[in-house]
Amino acid sequence: MNLPQPPDQVYNIIPLHHLPSLPFPELRAAAAALRAAAANLPKPPFTKWLPNMDLLDWLALFFGFQDDNVRNQREHLVLHLANSHMRLNPPPANTLTLDDTVLRKFRTKLLHNYTTWCSYLGNKSNVWIFDHPRELLYVSLYLLIWGEAANLRFLPECLCYIFHHMAMELNMILEGYIDEGTGQPMMPSISGENAFLNHVVKPIYETIRCEVESSKNGTVPHSAWRNYDDINEFFWSKRCFEKLKWPIDLESKFLVTSSRVKHMGKTGFVELRSFWNLFRSFDRLWVMLILFLQAAIIVAWEEKTYPWEALENQDVQVRVLSIFFTWSGLRFLQSLLDAGMVYRLDPREALALGVITFLKCMAAAAWVVAFGIFYCKIWSQRKQDEKWSAEANRHVVWYSLYSSFVGATLGLFERLGEIRNVRHLQLRFQCFAATILLNLMPQEQKPKEQFLNPRKTWKSKFKDAIHRLKLRFGLDQPNIKLESESNKVEANKFALIWNEIIMCFREEDIISDRELELLEIPPTPSSWNVRVLRWPCFLLNNELLLALRHVKELVDATDSQLWDKICKNEFRRCAVIETYDCIKCLLLEIIKPNTEEHSIVTAMFQEIDDSLQNEKFTKTFKMAVLPQLHNKLITLVVLLLKPYKYNSYQLVNILQALYEIAVREFFKKKRTIVQLIQDGLAPQNPSSFLEGLLFENAIEFPDVENVNLYRQLRRLHTILTSKDSVHNVPANLEARRRIAFFSNSIFMNMPQAPPVEKMMAFSVLTPYYNEEVLFTKEHLRAANEDGISILYYLQTIFDDEWKNFIERMYREGLMDNDCMWGVKHEDLRLWASYRGQTLSRTVRGMMYYSRALHMLSFLDSASSEMDIPECSRGATSSVSMLFKGHERRTALMKFTYVIACQIYGTLKQKKDHRADEILYLMKNNEALRVAYVDEVSTRWDEKEYYSVLVKYDQQLKREVEIYRIRLPGPFKLGEGKPENQNHAIIFTRGDALQTIDMNQDNYFEEALKMRNLLEEYNKYYGIRKPTILGMREHIFTGSVSSLAGFMSAQDMSFVTLGQRVLANPLKVRMHYGHPDVFDRFWFITRGGISKASRVINISEDIFAGFNCTLRGGNVTHHEYIQVGKGRDVGLNQISMFEAKIASGNGEQVLSRDVFRLGQRLDFFRMLSFFYSSVGFFFNTTVVVVNVYAYLWCILYLALSGIEAATSDDSNKPLSANKALGTILTQEFIINLGFFTALPMFLESYVEPGFVQAIWDFLLMQFQLSSVFYTFSMGTRSHFFGWTILHGGAKYRATGRGFVVQRKSFAENYRLYARSHFLKAIEFALILITYASFSPTATDTYVYILMTVEGWFLVVSWIMAPFLFNPSGFDWLKTVGDFDDFMKWIWFRGSVLGKGEESWERWWYEEQDHLRATGLWGKVLAIVLDLRFFFFQYGIVYQQGMAHGSTSITVYFLSWIYVFAIFVIYAVVSCAHEKCAAKLHIYYRVVLLMVISVVTIVITALVKFTALKFVDILTGILAFVPTGWGVILIAQVFQPYLKHTMIWEGVVSVARLYDILFGMIVMAPMALLSWLPGIQFMQTRILFNEAFSRGLHISQILTSKNIRSFNRY
């Protein structure tokens, strides 16, 4: 029962237990509506109704919902209704009453999927709308069902089914139905404490759990068990009402209570592991390609110059008609594939689909027969008539290029790259300032004056649009004057925004204190009365000196002419005025008031002011004297900036010199002493003037503690003296990039920002498992094998940021570097953590949303000059000092950040340091919440599971638990990440939900644009509004090494150019991960923000996009806002990530989502979808397979003698072979070079610029990027094909740490042996064999053309792991690698050991896929292994013993040698096992006998047969691959051989093969390690960018001692 809540009850965001304390009338209206709606409802019969209960309590008492679920959804509903009420335009007259429009729109959106479901099934909806309370009841009931559904939230139609029946029971209660059995008022079929969880959720949950258990962790074929989609699609037909019933029939065959019980078959779709899925899903694509190829072959066969010439021949025309026959055959194949996919379906569904499939097969077969008959008739008529008669006539009835160029063009139109550096910003800073206010601040016009208001005239709308267009493109002066004298509020708003951005830069230590002063806008007004807006110093650099140059050039010009010349540049005008006002205020401040000197200086400035006002300045004063005054003023300011290094005499002398120049030289008309005294410009006592005693006793020295004064003095000195270019301000590359992007994005098209109170509310959700939160002291100080700690590494990589951090620490009280680990250790840990991929970095970035909303809310309410008296007072002032209190409440209503930390409870129990660090984050971030799963043991040795939400209570000063909602069981039934998100999503709030991963960051300046982005939901893109808003990402790890730069460039082209094209014009952008923003209520009613079925949904994110598109959603992409993203920076990390993505795409090929998209998208969108998703990986695999096929084909041509025979006949085949090699080589170069680099080059061209793009491209080539991309191609092709054939997709934890340590050879071998090394060795063997036996190889040029792609693959796939391995060619470490590798090979660990410890354990792990694969997978594996026997077949005929015979007997006889080798190995192994330890002499005798017999046999063969010594080498070349083929086939038959004596021999031989392969791979590595200078070159290539920035990576990699940095 939901008892009354105490007044001091802990709450999440708003204190709903105490309505009068709610801060906004809209909140009070929504909460009051819930209570009012429950007033007239029939009261629960068995529970006392209390006055403070509301409508959700009423539903809980009737239907048995949990108390905390009710509390959670109450706040959820009230917040949403209040936020929606705030957004009403025009606002309602009465804000204390909930508007009917708000509730109606919410009910329509929330229950839209339910309405669609009812319509699809032909059922009448149970939503009966009569009045306002009914609507509240329905939305509350749905939210309560959803909030307690746990894993059932992945089943949207299941929730519709539950809601349908519960809504019917609700209607019966409301309509006063009487239960016929009891004669009492109707009650729900389920009621009581936790009734909904126990009687509705748990039976279906247990069914899902049993299905997952039967999958054996996803290793069982998908067709053998039901996943989330199968369970959900059961509710897509009316049979759910018949089988499941209501209340739920626990005896239903749909439900499963044990994994051993026979269950229903698959529903809707069967995921079968086969490459045929690609044809079945995208049959239209393959039909088009096959028919086009067939027609092209027919036309090309005629060998005409142009195709249309061939088509003039009617024979050719008729042959082309055969494509119809092919089309019908392909349709028949498609129908057969459809038939083969239904046998695992539920019998009832399989019967219906079987009938449909049978009819499709018959129809397709009929077309085959019909086209066959007609085609045969055509040719029979042609033969009969011996010509084409009238009777016969009657029977004749690139993606990469596209995306690159279109993406670049769209980027240019979206105005990307217009502001590429600080210089560009300087040129457009005025428009930039006005555009910030235009885009980021809401318009203050009255509603009738707004642009979109229909009462506004079309003429005014047109003028407004033209003005906005001109302002956006910099073609017009801004209509918002930013000078303080005209509009102080607007000027202060811009200054506040700009300064807060710069202050964030300083807090992040990417700029120094000096750069902060150069970039900030000083306070307006300040202690010095400056009449103009004080622009940042970096805009005023050199402007005063240029004004003085104008004065020199225009000596005889009038005041107006000179002033017009200066005013042509706004910054120059402001620099002149600010300098004059500052000098005036400075002199009057350092001279004591009420002194004669003070009066003289005042009079002097009055003279100047009068001359300026009367435009007689050039007539009164000598312009040539201004440079002298300028120099003296510089001396004065420099002197004042050194308070401890000057004395009063120096200051008096400077002031006296200034005075002398002013009164003696500055005036054109010299004045006598008497005149000066009369004008107040000289002391009344003439002797003082003559003796030079002025200012001696009139100076008031500035207070050295006056921070503001010295800050203004430094600014004045900068304006007076600066000649530096602004290009290097700020010096940090990241700061410059962020300023450039933000300023450029402001000029891009974005929706107008609403006031914060009227913006959409949103949440951010971050899944977290066990990654780093904050780096610990031990972690930062621990040294790797080279003696280098993470702290030292960070200090070196981020050298400028480290200096800025030290500067900030000294400013904040650090006395000595040795104290860094003491009083400032927390700051040090934060500094290091903010440069890694840690949770603290992500939290800091996301909490910028809260900080931005606080400031924007404050600015929204600043409607008069009194609201912002001084926007930036002091050196470290913050906007928070100006807040009035309502900003916090508004920000909390609009933004919530939830971290889904599933193991937080476990961490607390173990007292893990990460739990304390997460608590620290909550303590310092008010809007942060942590959701975790709590596992509680009961008295009966059972466990209960709860979803718990906690926060840090700022008043209680401790962590408090807000909600605890019981789950039906363990929450993780599918993939971990989506399950983690799903349990926490009930605690999110708002209309939108942004998903952020653990490797992401955010920036304050980008957070300012979030409310603009959310307004995109109100715009139509095509015929629909968006449901997913895509954002661009910046890869912040790109500068760590060249390898990280390659990944950064590759990701940059995909997340910008690629996403841009996919969204528009292709309209096939899905959800490729974070940081997309979801329409929250749209997705929570349609299965959530990801899918979670085990293995098939391993790439969980993209399935949200698939689901969105299939259900009629719309995905857009927006370039004006970005977040940061970290990527893997080591080759092993990158390879595991690529393997995970490729495996995920392999599973996608099998999925129902890809099949349905391939079938339902229109033809052109289908093509785009294929080539931008699974087609990319398929094409990569095809490239590698083509290389395989090409090399094996030319080898067989050479070994079979066909190539030699054709070469002897004529040169045409040889030249054709040469032409073929040239074509293939060019294609290879284009594929690897041009197509790979083109998107990256064009994206760089659009944004950084053409010259920078050329430089980046050339630099990447020098850094061997082609080797890296070729290696990555091998990774993708291997794991994509492997997954489709055998399965085995799994989550691969790549780790997000810093990669500076060297990976051992054994580790690299374990990771790449099967995917790269063995394939490369196979290619090398083929190429060497081809060079030995092919006549074409005698022509070096031809051989190179034909084999260059193969050799490039060999070199790339073998050398890349060592080229991109720090210290990869260190000789001493290479020697150590050899010892380590051999120890690993021969170590005999236990069965339960790990692959890292023992070769044998690793070898068995590499065969896991064979245990999980099906029959066809094993058959195909054997078929592929037979290629080694064909290799032997070709080689043995080249031996002298064959005497040129081509008889098959020769091949069979060659197997005698194979068996002889195995017998010899068996004898030696047996002798070693039995005699090597105790009877060593017998073991040596056996060896001697074996060697003797082998020697005798070989000698006899050489003597009495045609065997040559070369034949022995050739035999080894033939039989070594054969042996490996035997080993591979034996692995397939492992279940049958494992318990026989043969298996031990297989394992032993396999070990020898891996030793051989390891030696082959290590040989070039050892050679390069031995050569001098290679190690230096490799380090230079790997860390080239770091070297160019002076970071001395070579010292990091060679140092053996921790430097003094570690003392900090």
Side-chain angles (χ1 to χ4, degrees), residues 623-643:
M623 298 298 100
V625 179
L626 286 176
Q628 299 180 45
L629 292 171
H630 175 253
N631 293 331
K632 292 298 181 183
L633 287 170
I634 292 175
T635 305
L636 173 64
V637 174
V638 170
L639 194 61
L640 290 173
L641 285 173
K642 300 176 181 179

PDB file of all heavy atoms in Angstrom, residues 623-643:
ATOM      1  N   MET A 623      50.166  66.314 -34.443  1.00  0.00           N
ATOM      2  CA  MET A 623      50.024  64.864 -34.570  1.00  0.00           C
ATOM      3  C   MET A 623      51.369  64.146 -34.511  1.00  0.00           C
ATOM      4  O   MET A 623      51.447  62.988 -34.102  1.00  0.00           O
ATOM      5  CB  MET A 623      49.328  64.526 -35.892  1.00  0.00           C
ATOM      6  CG  MET A 623      47.906  65.071 -36.034  1.00  0.00           C
ATOM      7  SD  MET A 623      46.756  64.416 -34.805  1.00  0.00           S
ATOM      8  CE  MET A 623      46.728  65.770 -33.625  1.00  0.00           C
ATOM      9  N   ALA A 624      52.427  64.862 -34.888  1.00  0.00           N
ATOM     10  CA  ALA A 624      53.747  64.237 -34.896  1.00  0.00           C
ATOM     11  C   ALA A 624      54.253  63.924 -33.494  1.00  0.00           C
ATOM     12  O   ALA A 624      55.183  63.132 -33.311  1.00  0.00           O
ATOM     13  CB  ALA A 624      54.750  65.144 -35.617  1.00  0.00           C
ATOM     14  N   VAL A 625      53.642  64.522 -32.470  1.00  0.00           N
ATOM     15  CA  VAL A 625      54.084  64.309 -31.096  1.00  0.00           C
ATOM     16  C   VAL A 625      53.452  63.044 -30.501  1.00  0.00           C
ATOM     17  O   VAL A 625      53.934  62.516 -29.502  1.00  0.00           O
ATOM     18  CB  VAL A 625      53.738  65.545 -30.237  1.00  0.00           C
ATOM     19  CG1 VAL A 625      54.170  65.357 -28.780  1.00  0.00           C
ATOM     20  CG2 VAL A 625      54.409  66.780 -30.818  1.00  0.00           C
ATOM     21  N   LEU A 626      52.399  62.557 -31.109  1.00  0.00           N
ATOM     22  CA  LEU A 626      51.694  61.396 -30.565  1.00  0.00           C
ATOM     23  C   LEU A 626      52.610  60.186 -30.374  1.00  0.00           C
ATOM     24  O   LEU A 626      52.511  59.494 -29.356  1.00  0.00           O
ATOM     25  CB  LEU A 626      50.495  61.034 -31.458  1.00  0.00           C
ATOM     26  CG  LEU A 626      49.292  61.983 -31.361  1.00  0.00           C
ATOM     27  CD1 LEU A 626      48.218  61.565 -32.357  1.00  0.00           C
ATOM     28  CD2 LEU A 626      48.715  61.973 -29.945  1.00  0.00           C
ATOM     29  N   PRO A 627      53.515  59.854 -31.326  1.00  0.00           N
ATOM     30  CA  PRO A 627      54.424  58.728 -31.079  1.00  0.00           C
ATOM     31  C   PRO A 627      55.288  58.896 -29.835  1.00  0.00           C
ATOM     32  O   PRO A 627      55.592  57.932 -29.138  1.00  0.00           O
ATOM     33  CB  PRO A 627      55.268  58.673 -32.356  1.00  0.00           C
ATOM     34  CG  PRO A 627      54.383  59.266 -33.403  1.00  0.00           C
ATOM     35  CD  PRO A 627      53.636  60.359 -32.706  1.00  0.00           C
ATOM     36  N   GLN A 628      55.715  60.151 -29.531  1.00  0.00           N
ATOM     37  CA  GLN A 628      56.497  60.363 -28.310  1.00  0.00           C
ATOM     38  C   GLN A 628      55.669  60.074 -27.067  1.00  0.00           C
ATOM     39  O   GLN A 628      56.130  59.420 -26.128  1.00  0.00           O
ATOM     40  CB  GLN A 628      57.005  61.813 -28.268  1.00  0.00           C
ATOM     41  CG  GLN A 628      57.916  62.190 -29.423  1.00  0.00           C
ATOM     42  CD  GLN A 628      58.384  63.638 -29.317  1.00  0.00           C
ATOM     43  OE1 GLN A 628      58.787  64.089 -28.240  1.00  0.00           O
ATOM     44  NE2 GLN A 628      58.318  64.369 -30.417  1.00  0.00           N
ATOM     45  N   LEU A 629      54.441  60.579 -27.072  1.00  0.00           N
ATOM     46  CA  LEU A 629      53.554  60.293 -25.951  1.00  0.00           C
ATOM     47  C   LEU A 629      53.302  58.794 -25.817  1.00  0.00           C
ATOM     48  O   LEU A 629      53.252  58.256 -24.708  1.00  0.00           O
ATOM     49  CB  LEU A 629      52.218  61.033 -26.142  1.00  0.00           C
ATOM     50  CG  LEU A 629      52.268  62.556 -26.033  1.00  0.00           C
ATOM     51  CD1 LEU A 629      50.932  63.164 -26.458  1.00  0.00           C
ATOM     52  CD2 LEU A 629      52.604  62.965 -24.608  1.00  0.00           C
ATOM     53  N   HIS A 630      53.160  58.144 -26.960  1.00  0.00           N
ATOM     54  CA  HIS A 630      52.919  56.698 -26.972  1.00  0.00           C
ATOM     55  C   HIS A 630      54.073  55.964 -26.297  1.00  0.00           C
ATOM     56  O   HIS A 630      53.859  55.073 -25.453  1.00  0.00           O
ATOM     57  CB  HIS A 630      52.729  56.244 -28.419  1.00  0.00           C
ATOM     58  CG  HIS A 630      52.597  54.762 -28.570  1.00  0.00           C
ATOM     59  ND1 HIS A 630      53.604  53.979 -29.101  1.00  0.00           N
ATOM     60  CD2 HIS A 630      51.595  53.907 -28.252  1.00  0.00           C
ATOM     61  CE1 HIS A 630      53.221  52.727 -29.114  1.00  0.00           C
ATOM     62  NE2 HIS A 630      52.003  52.646 -28.603  1.00  0.00           N
ATOM     63  N   ASN A 631      55.289  56.327 -26.618  1.00  0.00           N
ATOM     64  CA  ASN A 631      56.457  55.666 -26.031  1.00  0.00           C
ATOM     65  C   ASN A 631      56.543  55.901 -24.525  1.00  0.00           C
ATOM     66  O   ASN A 631      56.882  54.979 -23.759  1.00  0.00           O
ATOM     67  CB  ASN A 631      57.733  56.146 -26.719  1.00  0.00           C
ATOM     68  CG  ASN A 631      57.802  55.692 -28.174  1.00  0.00           C
ATOM     69  OD1 ASN A 631      57.252  54.642 -28.527  1.00  0.00           O
ATOM     70  ND2 ASN A 631      58.467  56.470 -29.004  1.00  0.00           N
ATOM     71  N   LYS A 632      56.289  57.131 -24.104  1.00  0.00           N
ATOM     72  CA  LYS A 632      56.348  57.426 -22.675  1.00  0.00           C
ATOM     73  C   LYS A 632      55.250  56.696 -21.897  1.00  0.00           C
ATOM     74  O   LYS A 632      55.461  56.238 -20.776  1.00  0.00           O
ATOM     75  CB  LYS A 632      56.217  58.946 -22.456  1.00  0.00           C
ATOM     76  CG  LYS A 632      57.413  59.733 -22.957  1.00  0.00           C
ATOM     77  CD  LYS A 632      58.701  59.338 -22.212  1.00  0.00           C
ATOM     78  CE  LYS A 632      59.898  60.142 -22.707  1.00  0.00           C
ATOM     79  NZ  LYS A 632      61.147  59.709 -22.023  1.00  0.00           N
ATOM     80  N   LEU A 633      54.076  56.587 -22.517  1.00  0.00           N
ATOM     81  CA  LEU A 633      52.985  55.877 -21.852  1.00  0.00           C
ATOM     82  C   LEU A 633      53.316  54.391 -21.693  1.00  0.00           C
ATOM     83  O   LEU A 633      52.974  53.775 -20.683  1.00  0.00           O
ATOM     84  CB  LEU A 633      51.689  56.051 -22.649  1.00  0.00           C
ATOM     85  CG  LEU A 633      51.054  57.445 -22.569  1.00  0.00           C
ATOM     86  CD1 LEU A 633      49.926  57.567 -23.596  1.00  0.00           C
ATOM     87  CD2 LEU A 633      50.525  57.716 -21.160  1.00  0.00           C
ATOM     88  N   ILE A 634      53.977  53.840 -22.707  1.00  0.00           N
ATOM     89  CA  ILE A 634      54.405  52.438 -22.596  1.00  0.00           C
ATOM     90  C   ILE A 634      55.359  52.281 -21.421  1.00  0.00           C
ATOM     91  O   ILE A 634      55.255  51.342 -20.614  1.00  0.00           O
ATOM     92  CB  ILE A 634      55.060  51.966 -23.901  1.00  0.00           C
ATOM     93  CG1 ILE A 634      54.016  51.887 -25.029  1.00  0.00           C
ATOM     94  CG2 ILE A 634      55.734  50.611 -23.704  1.00  0.00           C
ATOM     95  CD1 ILE A 634      54.605  51.545 -26.378  1.00  0.00           C
ATOM     96  N   THR A 635      56.293  53.226 -21.293  1.00  0.00           N
ATOM     97  CA  THR A 635      57.250  53.170 -20.184  1.00  0.00           C
ATOM     98  C   THR A 635      56.530  53.258 -18.851  1.00  0.00           C
ATOM     99  O   THR A 635      56.877  52.544 -17.891  1.00  0.00           O
ATOM    100  CB  THR A 635      58.263  54.316 -20.313  1.00  0.00           C
ATOM    101  OG1 THR A 635      58.875  54.263 -21.601  1.00  0.00           O
ATOM    102  CG2 THR A 635      59.339  54.215 -19.243  1.00  0.00           C
ATOM    103  N   LEU A 636      55.525  54.135 -18.772  1.00  0.00           N
ATOM    104  CA  LEU A 636      54.752  54.284 -17.542  1.00  0.00           C
ATOM    105  C   LEU A 636      54.033  52.990 -17.173  1.00  0.00           C
ATOM    106  O   LEU A 636      54.096  52.545 -16.020  1.00  0.00           O
ATOM    107  CB  LEU A 636      53.737  55.421 -17.711  1.00  0.00           C
ATOM    108  CG  LEU A 636      52.732  55.599 -16.559  1.00  0.00           C
ATOM    109  CD1 LEU A 636      53.447  55.996 -15.272  1.00  0.00           C
ATOM    110  CD2 LEU A 636      51.669  56.640 -16.927  1.00  0.00           C
ATOM    111  N   VAL A 637      53.368  52.390 -18.135  1.00  0.00           N
ATOM    112  CA  VAL A 637      52.598  51.171 -17.853  1.00  0.00           C
ATOM    113  C   VAL A 637      53.539  50.025 -17.462  1.00  0.00           C
ATOM    114  O   VAL A 637      53.254  49.263 -16.534  1.00  0.00           O
ATOM    115  CB  VAL A 637      51.740  50.793 -19.075  1.00  0.00           C
ATOM    116  CG1 VAL A 637      51.064  49.445 -18.847  1.00  0.00           C
ATOM    117  CG2 VAL A 637      50.704  51.861 -19.343  1.00  0.00           C
ATOM    118  N   VAL A 638      54.655  49.901 -18.168  1.00  0.00           N
ATOM    119  CA  VAL A 638      55.624  48.850 -17.827  1.00  0.00           C
ATOM    120  C   VAL A 638      56.123  49.032 -16.400  1.00  0.00           C
ATOM    121  O   VAL A 638      56.283  48.063 -15.639  1.00  0.00           O
ATOM    122  CB  VAL A 638      56.792  48.871 -18.822  1.00  0.00           C
ATOM    123  CG1 VAL A 638      57.914  47.969 -18.336  1.00  0.00           C
ATOM    124  CG2 VAL A 638      56.323  48.441 -20.199  1.00  0.00           C
ATOM    125  N   LEU A 639      56.363  50.285 -16.018  1.00  0.00           N
ATOM    126  CA  LEU A 639      56.846  50.562 -14.669  1.00  0.00           C
ATOM    127  C   LEU A 639      55.799  50.186 -13.625  1.00  0.00           C
ATOM    128  O   LEU A 639      56.107  49.586 -12.591  1.00  0.00           O
ATOM    129  CB  LEU A 639      57.203  52.047 -14.557  1.00  0.00           C
ATOM    130  CG  LEU A 639      58.042  52.478 -13.343  1.00  0.00           C
ATOM    131  CD1 LEU A 639      59.390  51.782 -13.356  1.00  0.00           C
ATOM    132  CD2 LEU A 639      58.220  53.987 -13.350  1.00  0.00           C
ATOM    133  N   LEU A 640      54.541  50.510 -13.906  1.00  0.00           N
ATOM    134  CA  LEU A 640      53.475  50.199 -12.947  1.00  0.00           C
ATOM    135  C   LEU A 640      53.238  48.696 -12.822  1.00  0.00           C
ATOM    136  O   LEU A 640      52.775  48.227 -11.780  1.00  0.00           O
ATOM    137  CB  LEU A 640      52.180  50.892 -13.374  1.00  0.00           C
ATOM    138  CG  LEU A 640      52.164  52.417 -13.241  1.00  0.00           C
ATOM    139  CD1 LEU A 640      50.890  52.984 -13.855  1.00  0.00           C
ATOM    140  CD2 LEU A 640      52.270  52.845 -11.778  1.00  0.00           C
ATOM    141  N   LEU A 641      53.540  47.924 -13.884  1.00  0.00           N
ATOM    142  CA  LEU A 641      53.341  46.477 -13.841  1.00  0.00           C
ATOM    143  C   LEU A 641      54.416  45.774 -13.036  1.00  0.00           C
ATOM    144  O   LEU A 641      54.339  44.558 -12.822  1.00  0.00           O
ATOM    145  CB  LEU A 641      53.319  45.914 -15.271  1.00  0.00           C
ATOM    146  CG  LEU A 641      52.040  46.171 -16.067  1.00  0.00           C
ATOM    147  CD1 LEU A 641      52.205  45.724 -17.513  1.00  0.00           C
ATOM    148  CD2 LEU A 641      50.843  45.453 -15.429  1.00  0.00           C
ATOM    149  N   LYS A 642      55.427  46.509 -12.549  1.00  0.00           N
ATOM    150  CA  LYS A 642      56.488  45.929 -11.721  1.00  0.00           C
ATOM    151  C   LYS A 642      56.503  46.637 -10.372  1.00  0.00           C
ATOM    152  O   LYS A 642      57.400  47.433 -10.082  1.00  0.00           O
ATOM    153  CB  LYS A 642      57.841  46.075 -12.406  1.00  0.00           C
ATOM    154  CG  LYS A 642      57.907  45.394 -13.769  1.00  0.00           C
ATOM    155  CD  LYS A 642      59.237  45.643 -14.449  1.00  0.00           C
ATOM    156  CE  LYS A 642      59.284  44.976 -15.816  1.00  0.00           C
ATOM    157  NZ  LYS A 642      60.574  45.224 -16.507  1.00  0.00           N
ATOM    158  N   PRO A 643      55.492  46.378  -9.549  1.00  0.00           N
ATOM    159  CA  PRO A 643      55.347  47.162  -8.305  1.00  0.00           C
ATOM    160  C   PRO A 643      56.508  47.004  -7.336  1.00  0.00           C
ATOM    161  O   PRO A 643      56.732  47.876  -6.508  1.00  0.00           O
ATOM    162  CB  PRO A 643      54.043  46.603  -7.710  1.00  0.00           C
ATOM    163  CG  PRO A 643      53.906  45.238  -8.297  1.00  0.00           C
ATOM    164  CD  PRO A 643      54.485  45.326  -9.664  1.00  0.00           C
TER     165      PRO A 643
END
